[in-house]
Amino acid sequence: MKDTEIASAYEPVIGLEVHIQLLTKSKAYSSDPTEYGALPNTNVSAISLGHPGTLPRANKKVIEFAVKLGLACKCEITEFNGYARKNYFYADLPKGYQITQDKTPICTGGKITIKVNDAEKDIHITRIHMEEDAGKSLHDQDPYDTLIDLNRAGVPLLEIVSEPDIRSSDEAYAYLSEVRKLVRYLDICDGNMEEGSLRCDANVSVRKKGEKAFGRRVEVKNMNSIRNVQRAIEFEIKRQVEEIEAGNIISQDTRSFDAETGSTFVMRSKEMANDYRYFPEPDLNPVIVTKEYIAAVKDVLPPLPAELFKKYTADYGLTPYDVGVITETKEIALYFEALTRHTKNYKSAANWVMGAIKSYLNEKAITIDRFTVAPIDVAGLIELIDNGKVSNTLASQKLFPEMIRTGRSAVSIAEEQNLLTESDTSALEGYIEQAIRKYPEKVAEYKGGKSGLLGLFMGEVMKLSKGKADPKTANEILRKKLDAL
């Protein structure tokens, strides 16, 4: 059998564990700051270092952010939330344990909907729980020793664990992209995998198609981009199929991904289950999340990408592609949302956001929050075009740049610079007669059946009028005059 035929006989089974570093100002159980890039071992205190006699204290923002994410994923929110200690020894874990949740994760169930090849699929969620991060081991700073930076120890995390519903590296890519978009919309995480604020472990196994039992899974760690998660999964699927076909048993290892070679390698062998010796955290009282609290958090949720997608396609009639571009980032989506409160020409609004506005942002390397033209003024520009007061060309080439430069409205600039469209038929007839006299030979060709030459005459009319001729009216008069010759 060919390799492709062998591979097609197997089905990957993938579950992802995503660690989301929260945008709180202080750590999960102490007042230590969480700023990224601080000097090593400066964002620490006796509490985050786990000194004897110190007591942790729960960060209320962590609970709020967890409820936000749970609501966005349509999870059940747990009322009684106990904390637990996850015990293990590692050099960058100063306390010898992490404070986490074991039996009572704050969110259970729920789903995230992804789109792959224009088809929707629900990836179900097992749980979302709160925990704190460990420190960081630096292996490349010293030629002889591993260095430890404990700034990250105690930084708050949410871990979102998916069901093993993912069946390809493309689905994994789409799922991670959706998670990143979601946490950015919720303002709970910046989603920057390169800085470690969004980290993913992939559990990968393969089985023959049609089999119900799962294969032996391998956990892959240390992937610093969504694309690398995709690459690692692709390599691991191929490797496991080859191992099984060779008659070998898949070793249940924890593996790391090498981005340079595109391959995974063994970090450590794993037993069938980890024994972290969980037990209830004795220094933290359980947190009760009431229905009233959940309702209050729900009231302040921002518009979410899935909701906006349905609204813009179903109610506004935009294409899925256009909506995908508009909702890719929260800031662009909110600008468009504000724009549509001032105009009902949704297609034109989408075109301006995706075209001239995004082009300007890219050219200047700035974000939409630094864009100087307010949504209401863009709507005013669209209204001028819709009412035939200015042409699209004039709007994009003269009015829009001037609006950016001065901050003034389109109509005030158009009136001051005498740019409003001329619809006076006598003036238009004068421009049209000049255009006809300029190209007598083209008139004969037009009369001979070359109707495409109408554009030549219209171009001359627009040139003579300095772009102010009303295209619709000018076109009608031009046709009548040419047909009458």
Side-chain angles (χ1 to χ4, degrees):
M1 289 177 69
K2 295 181 180 179
D3 290 345
T4 53
E5 292 175 344
I6 293 171
S8 65
Y10 286 85
E11 175 185 58
V13 177
I14 303 159
L16 298 182
E17 300 172 7
V18 183
H19 289 83
I20 300 159
Q21 184 174 307
L22 301 179
L23 288 173
T24 58
K25 293 181 179 179
S26 57
K27 293 186 179 179
Y29 307 109
S30 73
S31 60
D32 301 347
T34 58
E35 62 174 321
Y36 178 80
L39 289 173
N41 299 307
T42 55
N43 294 346
V44 295
S45 68
I47 297 176
S48 57
L49 295 176
H51 287 190
T54 57
L55 291 173
R57 190 173 181 181
N59 186 331
K60 290 181 181 178
K61 273 291 178 186
V62 177
I63 299 162
E64 178 190 331
F65 287 178
V67 172
K68 276 187 175 182
L69 183 58
L71 289 171
C73 297
K74 298 177 175 59
C75 300
E76 291 291 325
I77 310 298
T78 304
E79 180 180 9
F80 182 91
N81 286 269
Y83 294 96
R85 287 188 181 182
K86 179 181 179 181
N87 299 276
Y88 62 96
F89 174 78
Y90 210 71
D92 57 19
L93 190 68
K95 293 186 291 196
Y97 63 87
Q98 286 172 289
I99 300 176
T100 182
Q101 290 187 290
D102 181 25
K103 306 296 185 187
T104 58
I106 191 165
C107 308
T108 55
K111 64 183 180 182
I112 289 177
T113 302
I114 63 171
K115 292 183 182 68
V116 177
N117 299 324
D118 296 327
E120 287 192 352
K121 178 178 178 179
D122 291 336
I123 307 300
H124 296 89
I125 293 167
T126 306
R127 58 187 279 154
I128 302 173
H129 61 264
M130 303 176 287
E131 66 180 19
E132 61 179 338
D133 209 345
K136 188 176 183 180
S137 298
L138 306 172
H139 306 291
D140 55 357
Q141 303 293 309
D142 187 279
Y144 305 106
D145 299 306
T146 292
L147 305 181
I148 303 294
D149 180 6
L150 295 175
N151 278 350
R152 208 169 65 185
V155 166
L157 304 173
L158 292 177
E159 181 175 354
I160 177 169
V161 182
S162 82
E163 291 286 318
D165 290 344
I166 299 169
R167 293 292 177 267
S168 70
S169 62
D170 289 342
E171 288 185 7
Y173 187 98
Y175 174 82
L176 266 181
S177 299
E178 204 62 35
V179 170
R180 182 173 64 181
K181 185 191 294 187
L182 195 56
V183 298
R184 286 174 172 173
Y185 265 74
L186 293 170
D187 285 326
I188 65 174
C189 174
D190 61 28
N192 295 331
M193 291 190 75
E194 296 79 5
E195 296 179 2
S197 51
L198 194 71
R199 305 198 294 278
C200 176
D201 299 336
N203 295 298
V204 185
S205 66
V206 297
R207 64 185 177 187
K208 283 286 185 71
K209 285 183 177 176
E211 289 185 359
K212 298 297 183 184
F214 292 151
R216 290 171 65 88
R217 66 182 173 89
V218 166
E219 185 176 26
V220 186
K221 293 178 174 288
N222 297 341
M223 298 165 288
N224 64 355
S225 72
I226 296 179
R227 173 59 183 143
N228 280 344
V229 173
Q230 186 180 33
R231 292 173 64 206
I233 290 172
E234 287 168 356
F235 175 85
E236 196 55 34
I237 292 169
K238 183 174 181 293
R239 185 191 70 84
Q240 290 187 29
V241 169
E242 289 174 352
E243 286 286 306
I244 293 170
E245 285 295 311
N248 299 325
I249 295 175
I250 300 297
S251 177
Q252 191 165 316
D253 299 325
T254 297
R255 301 176 73 91
S256 183
F257 178 67
D258 185 332
E260 290 189 10
T261 64
S263 61
T264 66
F265 59 91
V266 176
M267 292 172 65
R268 57 182 178 270
S269 293
K270 212 172 190 181
E271 300 298 327
M272 290 304 291
N274 289 310
D275 182 13
Y276 289 120
R277 295 177 293 116
Y278 287 101
F279 62 81
E281 168 57 62
D283 294 332
L284 279 171
N285 286 326
V287 169
I288 307 299
V289 179
T290 64
K291 291 180 180 178
E292 291 76 17
Y293 180 82
I294 295 169
V297 172
K298 191 173 186 178
D299 285 343
V300 297
L301 281 181
L304 297 176
E307 297 167 5
L308 293 178
F309 191 92
K310 289 179 181 178
K311 176 181 176 182
Y312 295 162
T313 51
D315 299 343
Y316 291 1
L318 300 180
T319 66
Y321 173 80
D322 288 354
V323 178
V325 174
I326 291 167
T327 60
E328 180 62 28
T329 62
K330 176 186 177 183
E331 292 74 21
I332 294 289
L334 292 183
Y335 188 93
F336 179 76
E337 185 77 355
L339 177 54
T340 58
R341 286 197 283 270
H342 302 290
T343 179
K344 300 303 178 188
N345 190 339
Y346 304 124
K347 180 59 180 174
S348 183
N351 288 341
W352 275 96
V353 169
M354 295 188 299
I357 293 174
K358 287 198 76 173
S359 294
Y360 176 80
L361 299 180
N362 293 335
E363 178 189 335
K364 300 297 181 182
I366 60 173
T367 51
I368 192 77
D369 59 309
R370 293 176 57 194
F371 184 55
T372 55
V373 182
I376 191 171
D377 290 327
V378 176
L381 181 60
I382 293 170
E383 185 179 7
L384 283 181
I385 298 168
D386 289 348
N387 290 339
K389 299 295 184 181
V390 296
S391 66
N392 261 307
T393 302
L394 197 65
S396 60
Q397 293 182 359
K398 290 190 176 181
L399 286 180
F400 184 67
E402 193 68 8
M403 290 167 71
I404 294 172
R405 190 182 71 82
T406 64
R408 294 168 56 200
S409 70
V411 67
S412 67
I413 296 169
E415 288 174 346
E416 180 187 86
Q417 298 188 12
N418 193 27
L419 297 175
L420 292 176
T421 296
E422 289 186 4
S423 55
D424 176 30
T425 55
S426 61
L428 291 179
E429 285 178 353
Y431 298 138
I432 290 167
E433 287 172 2
Q434 289 182 61
I436 290 173
R437 285 197 301 269
K438 185 174 181 179
Y439 298 108
E441 73 284 358
K442 299 298 181 184
V443 172
E445 290 181 30
Y446 177 84
K447 299 290 288 183
K450 290 188 176 181
S451 58
L453 288 170
L454 191 70
L456 171 70
F457 295 107
M458 275 300 298
E460 185 65 20
V461 170
M462 297 307 290
K463 181 180 176 182
L464 290 168
S465 68
K466 295 184 171 63
K468 295 191 296 178
D470 177 19
K472 185 178 179 181
T473 305
N475 196 288
E476 290 174 358
I477 296 173
L478 177 62
R479 281 179 183 275
K480 288 178 181 177
K481 282 194 172 290
L482 286 170
D483 292 343
L485 292 174

